[in-house]
Structures are given as C-alpha cells and as structure tokens.
C-alpha cells in the first residue's frame, strides 16, 4: 500500500511510503519507524463493544492499524483510512493516510492522491471520530472523536447586496 505521512509540529514534513503489511518502514529521515499491523476491509466501530470490526470482506472503507516506534520504543498507535484525510490524535505527532492498496489477487484500490497542502489534515487540537464518521463513540487509541464522514463543503459566497 501507499501511505502519506504528516507531522504535527513540523508542518513542512511530508513523506510518502510504499509499504507492506507487517514490515517495518522508515518515517522520512527521522528516528521513527512504523509498521502496518492490521488491515480492516470495511472499517467500522461497534458502538456496543467499542471494538473495530469489518462490516464486509470487501474494501468499502479500508483501514490500516499502524504502530509507530522511536528508537525501538513504541510511541503511538493510529489508523490510516483510504479516502479520508490524515488526522492527529490528541497526543500523536504523526498522521497517516492510505492512498493506494495493492491486492495480490485483485485490482488496486486507489484513494484521492492529493497533496497535504489541500488542508486535509485535521488541526492539532481538532477532535475527530474513531470510526471516521459523526455519531460514533470515541475510545480507539490513536483515533480521537468527531471526524466527519465526508469533508465539509466550502461555505457559499455571501449574496451580493443590492444598493
């Protein structure tokens, strides 16, 4: 799969990594490394159990659980979703977004391959939802509450005032 990576403090930091499930990969030229440890084809949060589950076996809402280490010490766990902007958990320094998934026996699944400059990342203090949609409960490590299911529309221009 291909992941985009951002940093909370160093806004100019961007990294794009092509990675495999369960294999370590570097995060830029830093002392961080990460590993995708879980794939969920149709990501959702079970509201009763607060556990991540897959609604189907089809990649309708694919997500990847990522563990981040710094100098061999685990620092964070987060999720990267396809077609969702990267976001920062309250204490996370790194945010990930999946942009392409390459399957062994099926066609690749691509998301929006856009630059980070599009404003896609939630701001550091902004709360986002554990399931990537409004109304879902919070509580998943690395996934703060309140993330919209779709990006908010840009506000319409105010109507012109007539003299």
């Amino acid at each position: 799969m291909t992941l985009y990576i951002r940093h909370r403090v160093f806004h100019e930091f961007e990294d794009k990594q092509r990675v495999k499930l369960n294999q370590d990969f570097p995060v830029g030229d830093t002392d961080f490394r990460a590993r995708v440890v879980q794939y969920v084809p149709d990501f959702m949060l079970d509201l009763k159990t607060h556990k991540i589950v897959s609604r189907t076996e089809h990649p309708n809402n694919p997500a990847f659980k990522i563990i981040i280490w710094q100098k061999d010490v685990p620092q964070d766990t987060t999720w990267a979703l396809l077609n969702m902007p990267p976001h920062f958990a309250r204490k996370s320094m790194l945010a990930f977004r999946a942009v392409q998934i390459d399957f062994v026996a099926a066609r690749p699944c691509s998301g929006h391959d856009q630059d980070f400059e599009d404003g896609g990342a939630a701001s550091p203090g902004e709360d986002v939802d554990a399931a990537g949609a409004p109304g879902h409960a919070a509580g998943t490590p690395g996934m703060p509450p309140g993330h919209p299911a779709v990006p908010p529309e840009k506000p319409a221009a105010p109507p012109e005032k007539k003299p």
Side-chain angles (χ1 to χ4, degrees):
M1 74 206 70
T2 303
L3 297 172
Y4 278 157
I5 309 165
R6 294 274 321 262
H7 194 280
R8 174 183 293 242
V9 176
F10 303 106
H11 300 282
E12 65 282 351
F13 176 84
E14 295 179 7
D15 193 16
K16 184 176 181 180
Q17 291 284 341
R18 193 160 160 82
V19 305
K20 292 184 179 184
L21 190 64
N22 294 316
Q23 289 186 358
D24 288 6
F25 60 93
V27 177
D29 60 355
T30 71
D31 59 354
F32 287 95
R33 66 181 171 84
R35 179 186 300 171
V36 177
V37 295
Q38 182 182 0
Y39 165 64
V40 179
D42 199 357
F43 181 93
M44 75 168 268
L45 177 66
D46 183 311
L47 295 176
K48 291 181 182 177
T49 65
H50 298 275
K51 292 185 180 184
I52 302 299
V53 296
S54 187
R55 289 179 283 225
T56 70
E57 293 301 314
H58 302 285
N60 297 325
N61 189 28
F64 302 91
K65 185 177 183 179
I66 301 170
I67 299 175
I68 300 110
W69 288 271
Q70 183 179 25
K71 297 181 180 177
D72 296 326
V73 177
Q75 296 293 314
D76 197 7
T77 302
T78 191
W79 287 88
L81 289 97
L82 187 70
N83 288 328
M84 295 297 288
H87 59 275
F88 296 97
R90 293 176 198 259
K91 296 181 182 178
S92 295
M93 287 292 135
L94 297 169
F96 297 79
R97 178 169 49 114
V99 293
Q100 180 164 333
I101 307 166
D102 297 307
F103 296 101
V104 173
R107 293 189 328 226
C109 185
S110 294
H112 301 291
D113 192 5
Q114 56 197 353
D115 292 333
F116 289 119
E117 296 165 4
D118 66 2
S123 47
E126 184 177 346
D127 284 342
V128 291
D129 171 312
H136 290 276
T140 303
M143 299 285 291
H147 196 298
V150 293
E153 293 183 21
K154 292 182 180 178
E160 289 185 28
K161 293 183 180 179
K162 295 183 181 182

